[in-house]
Amino acid sequence: MTLAQAKKRHEEVASEIRRHDHLYYVEARPSISDLEYDRLYRQLIELEEQHPELRTPDSPTQRVGGEPVKSFHPEKHRVPMLSLDNTYSQAEVRSFVKRVQKLLPDETLTWILEPKVDGLAVNLRYEDGVLAVGATRGDGTTGDDITSNLKTIRSIPIKLRKTWEGVLEVRGEVFMTREGFKKLNVERAAAGLEVFANARNSAAGSLKQLDPRTVAKRPLDAVFYGVGFVEGGGGPQCHDGWLDWLHDAGFKTPERTWTCRSEDELIAAIDDLDKIRHDFRYETDGAVIKLNDLTLRQEVGFTAKAPRWAIAYKYAPEQARTRLNGITIQVGRTGVLTPVAELQPVFLSGSTISRATLHNEDEIKRKDIRIGDTVVIEKAGEVIPAVVSVVQAERSANAAPFDFFAYLNGKCPVCGSPIARDPQFAAWRCQNIHCPAQATRRLEFFAARTALDIESVGGVVADKLVERGIVKEPLDLFNLTVEKLGELNLGTDESPRIFGTKNAEKAVNAIQRACTAPLGKWLFALAIPDIGKTTASDLAAFHDSIEDVADSALLKDVIAYHEKDKEESEAAAHRLLDAGFAAKSKSEKETGIVTEVGPVAARSVLDYFDSEEGRGILRRMKELGLRPESQKGAAKTGGGLFNGKTFVLTGTLPSMKREEAAARIEALGGKVTSSVSKNTSYVLAGEEAGSKLEKAHSLGVQVIDEAEFLKMVAQSK
């Protein structure tokens, strides 16, 4: 076959595949079998292997990209992607219409109402009808170039089905289907991975993956509802005209829209959408109302943040009444007992709800929740079921107040050991540190990404390792072999589900990496009371090894400094200042010194390692040859790039998780805190940064993005 013949055949096959992709992924009416489709696809691959020059960016074979990218590059939108003002009030919708009518007194206004898809906003730039760049919304002006990831979504056309000369920006939402989200979580649970909280975050997280091959496996789809930059000013002059054009060009558009000419019609449409939105394939959280005429939109204009010609109406969380049949108590990794409402199943916001959190004993008392009550429940953020209130008028005369201690007979529901009320918190705890429930939770915490990052042994894998007696305490992980872990049954004896060799190899590799994880991560992973991530990092910065922490002279001096003996207190203060573990107080209300770690945390650490459990941990780590990596040098010597600098992280970073960025900061001597103050050195901000970013601007704190941060990190190499 000559090149000319191959090119002609390539165009024919590619066009045929695009047609079938559109029928299957957009129209949902496939016309050929999978076998026939695969045969066409193989023909295309063979033609491109014989003639590589035919492998153009718009070829169907280029939907799944090649190697992972190192980072996402910024992409500036030709026309800003502004956010919409929103409201929960139908009265405010009427006021909005009146405001726009006042700006256009002589015009008869037509409105388009469409579902507000709960997904991730994207902007696609087509050049001469071919997808050139796909980007996230970002800050509205600049987003991340995620073209290779967006190409994996089959409903997004790489080449338009209608001719367009020049540049066209098309805008919409990428979402994860309801069914796909449920299936993905089942698969992740089976593999021992943490399940996703909701479909919206899952879609956003998927598009931030650096490997498009991973994205291709996620059940993503997209719907498009408008345009941005339009070269030459061509195209329809009304919104509904653009929706029709986009549909004909190959895009999925909102499955239902309403054309309204009055306030009453808009309110009726809002109510109509609310009745049917739970049947859509994607999550919705409201309705978007837009002026139809594009010319009139230009006359109305924009505020600094949003267009004046559009508004988003958000539905209040849907509520339902049901009966509280009982209360069960769950035991967490630290022994905290959490009450859970067992409900008469009720349909709410698209799913059947049978359980809801009750938080703690104080919450039950505050709302006066009793077994047998009729309760009102809602999905907080349309995700987490919660009991809102009790219908007092329907309470039975013999319904008794709920007594937490008496209900459990003062014993842990898992191991039967005594329980006690934590005097500092509204929580009861199981007093048995060897409680099986706590063993599972401790194992999950130990292996979590924020601790030793052995995520392969989280979730159901952790439960089964403990249940089958393979792991009794976290350090037992370091005795696991691929053979032993590969045989783990994640199911039941009647319906076995084997973990498998590949998953086991991945887990064992992660376990081996954890052997020399940074000391700060180890201290956090051990779940020592009162020791969070920041305190663990502070301790690691001033100690060579875990043995040094266990018998720390610095921590003993912290305690001594706060004792009543004045002479010993002053001596301890001098030693702490000399070691750099304390600084003189700058507060006018305080005198003396401020230590890196307070007396409560210091005593907790020393007591923990002086206990039978703590001594056993040290002994076992030595036997297993576990040597956490020292992080001492940078902070103590002042040689770290970020020594003395404080960072606050906010938003979603393009190419790294916030935990990874925090680890880099701490490794270079910096500190990561959760709140912004005038003492903050930098705010590292990603997409959808919120109030912390606003506070940074108000205080004049320097804000940097990931690209600037990585440039700074590169200086340390």
Side-chain angles (χ1 to χ4, degrees):
M1 186 181 294
T2 65
L3 177 58
Q5 292 172 323
K7 185 176 181 181
K8 181 180 179 183
R9 180 57 182 159
H10 185 276
E11 290 173 353
E12 292 172 350
V13 176
S15 178
E16 188 71 1
I17 289 174
R18 291 190 193 102
R19 185 173 72 85
H20 289 302
D21 279 346
H22 181 78
L23 287 170
Y24 186 91
Y25 295 104
V26 179
E27 302 292 342
R29 50 186 185 92
S31 61
I32 61 173
S33 67
D34 290 347
L35 183 64
E36 292 172 301
Y37 181 91
D38 290 342
R39 187 178 294 120
L40 282 171
Y41 198 80
R42 281 196 299 273
Q43 283 185 37
L44 203 64
I45 290 175
E46 289 171 1
L47 285 166
E48 291 179 358
E49 286 176 346
Q50 294 167 9
H51 301 279
E53 58 268 42
L54 299 178
R55 193 178 291 116
T56 55
D58 64 329
S59 171
T61 63
Q62 300 307 296
R63 281 204 173 271
V64 181
E67 293 302 309
V69 297
K70 292 183 179 180
S71 64
F72 296 120
H73 299 294
E75 173 64 23
K76 189 168 185 177
H77 310 307
R78 301 286 184 92
V79 174
M81 295 180 72
L82 298 179
S83 57
L84 297 179
D85 290 331
N86 60 65
T87 179
Y88 288 88
S89 165
Q90 293 188 356
E92 288 187 12
V93 171
R94 293 181 182 275
S95 298
F96 160 75
V97 173
K98 287 183 173 69
R99 285 199 304 273
V100 177
Q101 185 69 75
K102 191 174 181 180
L103 293 170
L104 300 167
D106 300 323
E107 300 290 345
T108 300
L109 305 184
T110 301
W111 303 92
I112 302 296
L113 182 143
E114 58 198 29
K116 184 177 181 297
V117 182
D118 195 14
L120 183 76
V122 294
N123 182 70
L124 309 182
R125 189 173 80 234
Y126 287 83
E127 297 177 359
D128 295 330
V130 177
L131 178 60
V133 178
T136 61
R137 178 183 177 276
D139 62 5
T141 301
T142 304
D144 292 325
D145 182 344
I146 55 169
T147 311
S148 57
N149 287 348
L150 290 171
K151 282 184 176 181
T152 69
I153 302 173
R154 298 275 179 167
S155 59
I156 293 179
I158 293 179
K159 186 174 184 178
L160 299 180
R161 293 166 61 84
K162 289 176 69 72
T163 300
W164 186 272
E165 295 182 2
V167 176
L168 175 68
E169 287 184 342
V170 179
R171 292 174 173 177
E173 299 277 329
V174 172
F175 60 88
M176 189 171 286
T177 63
R178 294 176 188 268
E179 288 303 314
F181 174 66
K182 291 177 183 177
K183 183 180 178 183
L184 178 63
N185 267 347
V186 169
E187 292 172 350
R188 288 181 66 83
L193 300 175
E194 182 182 358
V195 296
F196 292 123
N198 57 63
R200 195 268 174 199
N201 289 349
S202 303
S206 296
L207 288 178
K208 293 300 179 66
Q209 296 289 321
L210 294 177
D211 190 345
R213 294 168 297 191
T214 300
V215 183
K217 298 175 183 177
R218 300 284 173 85
L220 298 175
D221 206 337
V223 62
F224 293 87
Y225 45 67
V227 295
F229 180 78
V230 179
E231 190 170 63
Q237 292 304 303
C238 55
H239 183 69
D240 55 3
W242 269 115
L243 291 178
D244 291 339
W245 191 95
L246 290 171
H247 180 271
D248 293 343
F251 295 95
K252 273 188 179 178
T253 52
E255 48 198 288
R256 177 73 192 275
T257 61
W258 288 258
T259 301
C260 305
R261 293 175 175 80
S262 69
E263 297 169 22
D264 289 341
E265 288 185 9
L266 277 173
I267 299 304
I270 287 172
D271 293 338
D272 286 345
L273 172 58
D274 196 21
K275 294 172 185 175
I276 64 173
R277 64 192 180 97
H278 297 304
D279 296 327
F280 294 166
R281 295 175 62 245
Y282 45 77
E283 299 282 354
T284 60
D285 58 359
V288 178
I289 300 164
K290 303 174 182 176
L291 193 59
N292 190 33
D293 190 302
L294 271 60
T295 302
L296 295 181
R297 289 184 183 181
Q298 294 300 316
E299 290 187 38
V300 172
F302 305 82
T303 66
K305 294 183 178 180
R308 291 193 177 94
W309 42 263
I311 194 170
Y313 174 85
K314 301 193 77 171
Y315 296 105
E318 185 179 339
Q319 297 184 335
R321 287 188 179 190
T322 188
R323 186 178 187 275
L324 176 63
N325 291 327
I327 294 176
T328 56
I329 309 296
Q330 295 180 339
V331 186
R333 66 169 182 88
T334 60
V336 171
L337 308 179
T338 303
V340 177
E342 301 293 343
L343 307 169
Q344 188 70 29
V346 61
F347 192 76
L348 175 66
S349 297
S351 61
T352 300
I353 306 300
S354 59
R355 309 185 87 204
T357 180
L358 293 172
H359 300 292
N360 53 48
E361 180 185 33
D362 287 359
E363 186 76 357
I364 293 174
K365 288 181 177 179
R366 186 177 69 81
K367 295 177 179 176
D368 190 19
I369 297 170
R370 306 182 185 187
I371 294 175
D373 276 346
T374 297
V375 295
V376 177
I377 65 169
E378 71 177 26
K379 281 187 176 179
E382 299 212 351
V383 177
I384 305 168
V387 174
V388 178
S389 61
V390 172
V391 183
Q392 297 282 354
E394 298 183 19
R395 170 172 286 168
S396 169
N398 60 0
F402 184 77
D403 186 320
F404 202 103
F405 186 85
Y407 186 71
L408 294 174
N409 293 317
K411 297 179 180 179
C412 170
V414 174
C415 70
S417 298
I419 63 173
R421 170 92 178 197
D422 189 319
Q424 287 187 295
F425 304 99
W428 289 85
R429 293 181 188 270
C430 168
Q431 299 301 292
N432 174 21
I433 62 172
H434 298 294
C435 174
Q438 292 189 61
T440 299
R441 302 289 84 80
R442 280 202 308 273
L443 180 57
E444 287 185 316
F445 183 81
F446 184 83
R449 186 180 68 234
T450 52
L452 293 185
D453 198 13
I454 318 173
E455 288 190 283
S456 303
V457 295
V460 68
V461 177
D463 285 333
K464 292 300 179 181
L465 285 170
V466 172
E467 178 187 315
R468 301 184 187 282
I470 298 172
V471 170
K472 294 180 180 178
E473 60 180 52
L475 291 182
D476 289 341
L477 287 175
F478 296 93
N479 284 329
L480 289 178
T481 62
V482 171
E483 293 73 24
K484 191 171 187 178
L485 189 54
E487 295 171 356
L488 178 66
N489 180 8
L490 302 179
T492 63
D493 293 338
E494 296 77 20
S495 302
R497 193 171 76 248
I498 306 303
F499 191 51
T501 301
K502 286 187 177 180
N503 286 329
E505 288 175 347
K506 180 180 177 183
V508 169
N509 287 337
I511 291 169
Q512 292 305 311
R513 287 195 299 271
C515 290
T516 54
L519 177 58
K521 282 185 167 288
W522 266 95
L523 292 171
F524 179 62
L526 291 175
I528 302 169
D530 303 306
I531 304 303
K533 285 172 57 181
T534 300
T535 304
S537 296
D538 291 341
L539 289 169
F542 287 87
H543 297 86
D544 280 314
S545 66
I546 197 165
E547 290 84 2
D548 287 347
V549 175
D551 191 35
S552 172
L554 291 173
L555 297 184
K556 292 174 183 176
D557 278 339
V558 169
I559 295 170
Y561 172 70
H562 288 86
E563 296 293 339
K564 293 181 179 179
D565 188 303
K566 184 177 180 181
E567 184 177 339
E568 178 56 29
S569 176
E570 290 179 355
H574 286 301
R575 290 193 294 269
L576 290 167
L577 286 168
D578 289 343
F581 201 66
K584 291 185 178 180
S585 174
K586 295 180 180 179
S587 171
E588 295 179 1
K589 297 179 181 179
E590 298 178 15
T591 57
I593 63 171
V594 177
T595 56
E596 290 286 330
V597 173
V600 173
R603 190 172 294 282
S604 287
V605 171
L606 294 175
D607 286 351
Y608 175 82
F609 285 112
D610 192 44
S611 68
E612 184 179 346
E613 179 188 8
R615 291 194 298 271
I617 291 287
L618 292 176
R619 185 169 55 251
R620 188 85 188 281
M621 288 181 67
K622 187 175 181 179
E623 292 170 354
L624 291 166
L626 303 175
R627 300 297 302 173
E629 179 186 15
S630 174
Q631 299 172 277
K632 183 177 179 181
K636 187 172 182 181
T637 64
L641 176 69
F642 296 142
N643 184 58
K645 304 295 184 183
T646 302
F647 285 73
V648 172
L649 279 57
T650 182
T652 303
L653 300 176
S655 68
M656 67 173 72
K657 296 172 182 174
R658 291 213 306 230
E659 291 82 2
E660 181 185 348
R664 293 193 183 190
I665 292 167
E666 290 163 356
L668 292 170
K671 183 181 290 187
V672 178
T673 60
S674 59
S675 59
V676 181
S677 73
K678 62 182 181 180
N679 295 321
T680 303
S681 307
Y682 300 100
V683 168
L684 174 53
E687 185 178 350
E688 298 183 2
S691 59
K692 293 179 183 179
L693 180 60
E694 294 175 6
K695 188 171 183 181
H697 288 312
S698 68
L699 293 174
V701 174
Q702 185 173 352
V703 177
I704 59 173
D705 59 16
E706 185 188 282
E708 292 174 276
F709 173 69
L710 292 175
K711 285 181 182 177
M712 295 167 71
V713 171
Q715 295 174 20
S716 67
K717 298 180 179 179

